[in-house]
Amino acid sequence: MKIVVILAAVAGLVSPVLAQGLQGLPGDFAFLRDIDPTIIQDIRYAGANNFMGRPIAGYDAAECVVKRDVGLRLKAVQRELARQRLSLKMFDCYRPARAVADMVAWSRNGKETAAERRYNPAFAKADLFRLGYIATHSGHSTGAAVDLTLVDLGADNSRKFDPAKDYADCTAPVAARAPEGSVDMGTGYDCSDVKAHTTAGSITPAQRRWRSMLVAAMARQGFVNYSKEWWHFSRPEAGGTAYDFPISRAR
């Protein structure tokens, strides 16, 4: 078997499935940057700018990994948005099952810091799973679910997250909460609050238009939005096999 693989590689006949396997990804997974490098990535769980305040298990690199078909559909969404000088920005893509387990353990550790409460100002973190804001079995682990937002390429997106700054909670006006370099969707990313529900009545007309634009653009490529999170979209196959390989840097 090894001889066949080597000969095929030398002949330049390695199949896409095998080639991806050699990069450390299962055959139907791919790095999004290899499919569309114009899509902005801000993979939050690979750093400290997230609700846990640290890198989450399995995120060894800030890379968006998706099923290839999902990536191609995101590329089609990006092409449509580019005509309006907009871009997608990815916050999370494939999520290793070990990361989900890490989130579960975090929710049960009996501690809650002020920085953590910025993400769930109205609820205790121990209740986030019961309320449906975090799942014990995530569609992200199948490679068919993504978290994302929109970026206005003509706007000033230069504000950067400062871990030493005491930001307001995720439901506050955009100037007071942690910067995300994106359009104002009414809440920050990963905001566990009713205001983050996609059709929340407490947001402004402009924020509602941005959310509607994102939902419509994603729906045209077969993505379904999760009603409690304006940023979360999945393909119907998101209920498939969950994976647990760590996310490494694209070669």
Side-chain angles (χ1 to χ4, degrees):
M1 185 65 179
K2 289 182 180 178
I3 294 175
V4 173
V5 170
I6 292 170
L7 290 176
V10 171
L13 299 176
V14 179
S15 72
V17 168
L18 179 56
Q20 291 170 41
L22 293 173
Q23 293 181 49
L25 297 179
D28 52 351
F29 279 83
F31 291 103
L32 181 61
R33 70 174 67 253
D34 289 341
I35 297 173
D36 191 337
T38 72
I39 297 176
I40 301 168
Q41 296 190 30
D42 180 12
I43 306 303
R44 299 279 288 274
Y45 299 156
N49 183 14
N50 58 60
F51 65 92
M52 289 173 63
R54 60 167 174 81
I56 297 177
Y59 286 84
D60 298 342
E63 291 283 355
C64 175
V65 173
V66 289
K67 289 286 183 68
R68 181 165 291 276
D69 177 66
V70 170
L72 292 172
R73 291 174 182 274
L74 290 171
K75 181 182 179 73
V77 175
Q78 181 78 344
R79 187 183 305 119
E80 175 187 338
L81 293 172
R83 302 187 192 108
Q84 304 169 71
R85 295 202 67 197
L86 299 172
S87 173
L88 293 175
K89 174 186 270 194
M90 312 304 300
F91 288 131
D92 192 32
C93 303
Y94 158 72
R95 181 183 305 167
R98 71 190 70 182
V100 179
D102 197 10
M103 293 177 182
V104 173
W106 166 85
S107 74
R108 297 172 178 169
N109 67 13
K111 304 173 184 177
E112 196 150 20
T113 68
E116 290 173 347
R117 287 306 299 267
R118 291 205 308 259
Y119 291 87
N120 52 292
F123 310 116
K125 72 178 187 181
D127 294 328
L128 297 181
F129 286 89
R130 177 179 61 81
L131 295 171
Y133 291 105
I134 305 177
T136 54
H137 301 282
S138 175
H140 282 278
S141 299
T142 71
V146 291
D147 293 343
L148 45 70
T149 189
L150 294 173
V151 174
D152 180 352
L153 297 176
D156 179 3
N157 299 306
S158 61
R159 282 184 71 215
K160 302 297 182 184
F161 174 75
D162 180 355
K165 189 170 182 179
D166 186 21
Y167 295 106
D169 72 61
C170 60
T171 66
V174 66
R177 64 180 187 258
E180 296 187 330
S182 59
V183 303
D184 180 11
M185 290 288 191
T187 74
Y189 167 58
D190 258 355
C191 187
S192 298
D193 191 89
V194 293
K195 193 174 182 181
H197 295 190
T198 308
T199 59
S202 55
I203 59 176
T204 68
Q207 293 162 349
R208 186 169 293 107
R209 283 194 297 272
W210 283 124
R211 291 188 187 189
S212 297
M213 179 183 293
L214 179 59
V215 169
M218 295 294 285
R220 283 191 281 275
Q221 290 299 323
F223 289 95
V224 178
N225 174 247
Y226 177 47
S227 64
K228 290 188 175 182
E229 299 176 346
W230 57 257
W231 55 83
H232 180 95
F233 295 84
S234 63
R235 291 278 299 152
E237 62 268 27
T241 301
Y243 291 80
D244 192 37
F245 60 90
I247 300 169
S248 58
R249 191 165 301 281
R251 291 186 176 89

